[in-house]
Amino acid sequence: MSVKKKPLVVVTRKLPDSIETRMRELFDARLNLDDTPLTPEQIAEAVRSADILVPTVTDLINEEALKQPDCKLKLIANFGNGVDNIDVVAAHARGITVTNTPKVLTEDTADMTMALILAVPRRLIEGASILPEGKSWPGWSPTWMLGHRIGGKRLGIIGMGRIGQAVARRARAFGLQIHYHNRRPVAPRIAEELGATYWESLDQMLARMDIISVNCPHTPATFHLLSARRLKLIRKDAYIVNTARGEVIDEETLTKLIETGEIAGAGLDVYEHEPAVNPKLVRLAKAGKATLLPHMGSATIEGRVEMGEKVIINIRTFLDHHKPPDRVLPNML
């Protein structure tokens, strides 16, 4: 009796051990044990040879990569919620199904957003470096290391999806007034629960907020949503926090405005040209005007394992000839 051949699943980055073990049990899994990012040539080879590709946000699966001759690929099971690294339209045109891992990292990302909302006005990172780095500390003083309280301030959330709403719940508990801009207003019951004020005009909201939190996905429509023009609308004493995607903000203009004191500061977990970080931003961080994190917003063990479990469910459902629960279609973008 012949044994049914397992599908070849190429995984582009190192995943949690428990997920990789399960993948080896279920599939002919080609793992990336040293976690070295694949080159475009290696991505192209994976597209040619694999039945299923499991990429991450760092892997560009564009139309060029999908044009490989004799392509066997049938499923791209993205290890991540955002799919801006994948040309979903091109995949769909070639009969390749795309899935993602939604509803897993909402709470983790909202936690980190709230941490940055607290850290920037209260100078948390700047203060935390004083003692470990042996800097001079004269002792408590009424006027030393003064920041700004956040209670009573206006928080403007750009993108009121699952993460935006989770940020609003946390922020409300800290006494912030919740404002938001979205493609459309949230349901009345959610707005009432959050005490949230909707702004149809992003320009008008930006000009009136004390803290701005970017929580929208990166799509062609949101590239440089915070353009040079819009950034100049922001008040001089306001702060920007971004845990979404770096491409949403014109980073060069943001840096210049912070340097010249036209924006008070920023808390960033994502960058426009990752993994490269603008050296000017690094200098601002050293001067206490920015808090910079290395894309840690969703970095919890629990979150990564849940992401892996969703990937496996999507693959197994697809192989059973059913529609995967987290299928992404072009009209959903």
Side-chain angles (χ1 to χ4, degrees), residues 43-149:
I43 291 286
E45 169 56 28
V47 169
R48 282 194 297 269
S49 60
D51 300 294
I52 296 161
L53 181 65
V54 180
T56 70
V57 65
T58 61
D59 303 302
L60 181 60
I61 316 299
N62 56 17
E63 184 174 17
E64 189 65 29
L66 295 171
K67 281 182 177 178
Q68 302 307 309
D70 302 321
C71 174
K72 292 175 55 183
L73 193 64
K74 293 293 181 287
L75 171 66
I76 301 172
N78 199 46
F79 185 87
N81 181 35
V83 291
D84 47 310
N85 58 311
I86 301 168
D87 190 329
V88 177
V89 174
H92 186 73
R94 288 164 175 77
I96 301 171
T97 299
V98 178
T99 62
N100 64 345
T101 60
K103 304 178 184 178
V104 171
L105 305 176
T106 299
E107 304 303 323
D108 296 331
T109 305
D111 285 345
M112 192 61 81
T113 304
M114 196 65 222
L116 286 171
I117 289 171
L118 289 164
V120 181
R122 293 302 308 272
R123 304 173 67 179
L124 183 61
I125 303 301
E126 190 181 354
S129 70
I130 299 293
L131 300 181
E133 294 181 10
K135 298 176 183 177
S136 175
W137 180 45
W140 182 87
S141 165
T143 57
W144 190 66
M145 284 295 293
L146 296 181
H148 292 277
R149 71 169 53 144

Side-chain angles (χ1 to χ4, degrees), residues 159-235:
M160 201 61 147
R162 288 186 295 270
I163 294 174
Q165 291 174 32
V167 170
R169 291 187 182 94
R170 287 158 173 75
R172 195 178 187 203
F174 279 87
L176 284 151
Q177 299 175 35
I178 308 303
H179 297 252
Y180 74 99
H181 169 78
N182 206 39
R183 286 183 295 179
R184 61 186 67 87
V186 298
R189 61 176 180 79
I190 295 174
E192 183 178 357
E193 174 202 346
L194 301 175
T197 300
Y198 174 64
W199 293 80
E200 184 176 3
S201 167
L202 176 58
D203 288 8
Q204 290 183 18
M205 185 182 83
L206 291 174
R208 293 165 172 82
M209 297 297 110
D210 301 298
I211 304 169
I212 294 152
S213 177
V214 179
N215 298 108
C216 62
H218 172 225
T219 67
T222 63
F223 177 76
H224 279 194
L225 182 66
L226 290 187
S227 60
R229 180 188 67 79
R230 283 192 168 126
L231 287 168
K232 290 173 184 176
L233 298 173
I234 295 172
R235 293 165 42 182

Side-chain angles (χ1 to χ4, degrees), residues 311-325:
V311 167
I312 291 172
I313 289 170
N314 282 317
I315 294 174
R316 295 191 71 181
T317 306
F318 177 82
L319 293 174
D320 287 339
H321 306 291
H322 297 296
K323 292 179 181 178

